[in-house]
Amino acid sequence: MGTRSISFDSPDSLYERNLIDDSDKVNRNEERILKLHESNGVVEQTSSPLKREVINRLSYSFSMKSHENDEIDLEGGKLVKDKDKPTRSKGVIRIQNQALFSGIAYCISSCSMILVNKYVLSSYDFNAGISLMLYQNFISVIIVSMLRFLGVISTEPLTWRLIKVWLPVNFIFVGMLITSMFSLKYINVAMVTVLKNVTNVITALGEMYLFQKYHDSRVWAALFLMIISAISGGITDLSFHAVGYAWQILNCFLTASYSLTLRRVMDTAKQVTKSGNLNEFSMVLLNNTLSLPLGLILIFVFNEVDYLSRTPLLRLPTFWLVVTLSGFLGLAISFTSMWFLHQTGATTYSLVGSLNKIPLSVAGILLFHVPTSLQNSASIFFGLLAGVIFARAKMRERS
């Protein structure tokens, strides 16, 4: 639903920070003991034996008390306090559990969203993709507005200055969603995931020409593999549909344009907000709210009103249940992706996103009984593998 603009800490960095804090506390105790011993040395030269004995006993007692509750970590070579260990270990376990749960929630919501949309468009043979997009975005606006009203989340107010800055991004955003709906109606899920890899190629070229950001050879090698897999997958696709492929190619250009335009607009948009920032929830509300009037116009332009007035699907309660579920899943992707990013990091997020396409593709083939061949299956697997290689190459490039 929008670009992620949040800060995050990995479990490892949190754990290391706790260790550093513990080590600092131990060092301060040792410094106080050392100073006390130094003062004892001065006293020994001027005081009586009785005073020296009293001070030495007090010093030894303080030293033993400061260390008797400490345990030496033989592997790490650090002193770790016993009373802090259970709290820290529980904290690490809790963080790791949250990372696992957030990752599972993100994978389930992202896979389910695509599969449910495919079910609505293909199995129900619903021929109003713009109306489906409009309904999903309307649900997102209602839920985010309710959460803001209840004080669960905070969003930036939609001022006219912010709307003017964001409108170009929103036009591309709406086009990206609509072309995705149209392509998904005609192309099977597995081929959609492979063809979406072309977006990475267009984005990389755009970054090079617009932002002078150059990638290393491993990234370009992965991008080349993506192009080969997309071409071979299209050639061997037994359910090839020219209209669907045309919509998907257009979707790749719009998705890349959305990513590149967002980078240019974000800084300006932050300057016109009251807080000087634009979080994920604000972008979800902004994008989906602005898409409503534009979606209404496009419904009339593509003459979906006539279809909606004739289709019997709108009288089926099960149909409304499924499309409403798709709206909730669309918003769930934004929430779970932000939660997952916060619990892990950008590298883990991108790698899991690439790996997540594998079960999605398999589920799409099995659930919708997609006719396939060995050559097409190999092309799909090759494309998914290229996505994983690309994610790993981007990790190494960032490091």
Side-chain angles (χ1 to χ4, degrees):
M1 287 289 183
T3 300
R4 322 289 172 232
S5 53
I6 57 174
S7 60
F8 46 81
D9 284 308
S10 66
D12 290 338
S13 63
L14 290 171
Y15 184 71
E16 289 172 1
R17 191 178 298 120
N18 286 335
L19 288 178
I20 292 171
D21 292 339
D22 289 340
S23 300
D24 289 340
K25 292 176 183 177
V26 173
N27 289 337
R28 285 194 293 268
N29 286 337
E30 291 176 342
E31 288 174 1
R32 286 196 296 267
I33 294 168
L34 182 60
K35 289 180 180 179
L36 185 57
H37 277 296
E38 290 174 351
S39 63
N40 290 346
V42 176
V43 173
E44 287 178 7
Q45 296 176 2
T46 58
S47 304
S48 65
L50 179 61
K51 288 184 178 180
R52 287 200 303 270
E53 180 64 20
V54 171
I55 292 175
N56 285 336
R57 286 175 181 250
L58 288 173
S59 174
Y60 178 77
S61 176
F62 178 78
S63 175
M64 290 300 294
K65 286 182 180 180
S66 65
H67 286 282
E68 65 183 357
N69 292 327
D70 293 351
E71 178 182 355
I72 299 177
D73 182 0
L74 297 178
E75 294 182 1
K78 296 183 179 69
L79 283 170
V80 181
K81 291 197 172 185
D82 282 337
K83 65 180 181 180
D84 291 341
K85 282 198 304 178
T87 303
R88 183 168 62 253
S89 61
K90 290 179 182 178
V92 172
I93 293 172
R94 185 167 58 250
I95 291 170
Q96 290 175 346
N97 287 340
Q98 288 183 5
L100 177 62
F101 293 148
S102 63
I104 293 173
Y106 166 68
C107 292
I108 292 175
S109 60
S110 59
C111 287
S112 300
M113 176 66 178
I114 297 176
L115 294 174
V116 170
N117 278 343
K118 179 64 176 176
Y119 182 73
V120 172
L121 296 168
S122 297
S123 299
Y124 276 108
D125 196 24
F126 188 63
N127 294 319
I130 300 174
S131 301
L132 178 60
M133 180 272 299
L134 184 67
Y135 183 67
Q136 291 174 347
N137 291 359
F138 176 72
I139 291 176
S140 296
V141 171
I142 295 298
I143 296 174
V144 173
S145 299
M146 289 177 58
L147 293 175
R148 181 184 62 178
F149 178 77
L150 295 173
V152 178
I153 62 173
S154 60
T155 61
E156 290 294 327
L158 303 184
T159 62
W160 178 242
R161 291 181 63 193
L162 180 59
I163 291 173
K164 286 193 298 183
V165 170
W166 201 261
L167 270 178
V169 178
N170 189 254
F171 283 129
I172 303 174
F173 172 76
V174 172
M176 179 182 69
L177 294 183
I178 293 174
T179 53
S180 177
M181 292 288 188
F182 289 165
S183 66
L184 193 59
K185 179 176 177 58
Y186 300 106
I187 308 177
N188 67 75
V189 174
M191 278 309 304
V192 166
T193 57
V194 172
L195 292 172
K196 280 184 177 293
N197 285 335
V198 178
T199 302
N200 295 322
V201 180
I202 302 171
T203 303
L205 292 172
E207 288 175 338
M208 187 172 62
Y209 287 105
L210 296 176
F211 304 107
Q212 286 74 49
K213 181 180 178 180
Y214 297 94
H215 302 284
D216 60 27
S217 58
R218 287 172 295 194
V219 173
W220 286 111
L223 293 173
F224 179 73
L225 293 177
M226 290 179 177
I227 296 174
I228 297 299
S229 65
I231 295 174
S232 62
I235 294 174
T236 58
D237 187 4
L238 298 180
S239 58
F240 179 85
H241 199 291
V243 175
Y245 272 72
W247 281 118
Q248 184 55 53
I249 292 172
L250 180 58
N251 175 260
C252 291
F253 278 97
L254 288 173
T255 304
S257 300
Y258 177 74
S259 175
L260 296 170
T261 306
L262 197 64
R263 298 183 191 185
R264 286 184 173 274
V265 172
M266 275 298 294
D267 291 336
T268 306
K270 289 178 181 179
Q271 293 174 2
V272 298
T273 59
K274 290 185 177 181
S275 66
N277 194 16
L278 196 65
N279 60 25
E280 171 72 12
F281 305 117
S282 298
M283 284 190 287
V284 169
L285 185 61
L286 185 60
N287 262 332
N288 288 282
T289 302
L290 295 180
S291 70
L292 298 182
L294 182 57
L296 285 172
I297 295 172
L298 292 175
I299 285 176
F300 286 97
V301 171
F302 284 81
N303 198 26
E304 287 190 0
V305 176
D306 182 56
Y307 170 79
L308 293 174
S309 64
R310 292 184 291 103
T311 180
L313 292 174
L314 299 184
R315 294 189 290 272
L316 296 177
T318 54
F319 175 77
W320 281 105
L321 180 64
V322 173
V323 295
T324 303
L325 175 63
S326 69
F328 278 95
L329 287 173
L331 186 61
I333 293 176
S334 295
F335 282 91
T336 56
S337 61
M338 192 167 97
W339 182 27
F340 187 40
L341 261 175
H342 182 74
Q343 295 299 327
T344 56
T347 54
T348 304
Y349 176 83
S350 60
L351 183 59
V352 170
S354 299
L355 292 172
N356 193 38
K357 294 179 181 179
I358 298 175
L360 172 62
S361 301
V362 174
I365 292 174
L366 297 178
L367 291 176
F368 298 101
H369 308 289
V370 177
T372 184
S373 62
L374 180 61
Q375 293 85 354
N376 185 247
S377 299
S379 299
I380 292 171
F381 178 76
F382 188 65
L384 298 174
L385 183 62
V388 176
I389 295 173
F390 174 76
R392 289 183 60 85
K394 290 287 287 184
M395 289 181 200
R396 293 178 181 178
E397 188 180 58
R398 278 194 290 264
S399 62

